[in-house]
Amino acid sequence: MTPPALILYQRDDCHLCDLALEVLAQARAPAFDSVFIDDDAALEVRYGCRVPVLRDAGRDVELDWPFDADAVRRLLA
């Protein structure tokens, strides 16, 4: 089974994004990509007010902030 293609959409200097990283560590999430939306107009439109957002690109599902370790585990299940 292939692990999910996880992406964390975030911003530079984002306190909530830092908290999301801590939650991902607590949940023992597998490796993920960090994508910063600051300089991408299309991502800014899609995620601007929602970051941080955890996306499982393989299943096309997203988890908006606020989320906790249990929510991350459910997303990954």
Side-chain angles (χ1 to χ4, degrees):
M1 180 174 189
T2 306
L6 292 180
I7 303 166
L8 180 65
Y9 291 99
Q10 56 185 316
R11 294 183 179 282
D12 289 323
D13 300 318
C14 169
H15 173 69
L16 296 178
C17 300
D18 294 338
L19 293 175
L21 291 169
E22 291 176 18
V23 168
L24 291 172
Q26 290 170 359
R28 297 180 184 234
F32 59 91
D33 290 328
S34 288
V35 175
F36 293 85
I37 69 166
D38 300 290
D39 295 325
D40 185 313
L43 291 177
E44 181 69 42
V45 167
R46 183 170 179 174
Y47 296 108
C49 295
R50 296 172 46 205
V51 292
V53 174
L54 182 62
R55 176 175 173 74
D56 179 343
R59 294 186 303 146
D60 195 28
V61 293
E62 296 179 342
L63 186 59
D64 288 9
W65 187 260
F67 50 81
D68 59 17
D70 288 334
V72 172
R73 288 185 200 105
R74 285 191 301 274
L75 177 78
L76 299 175

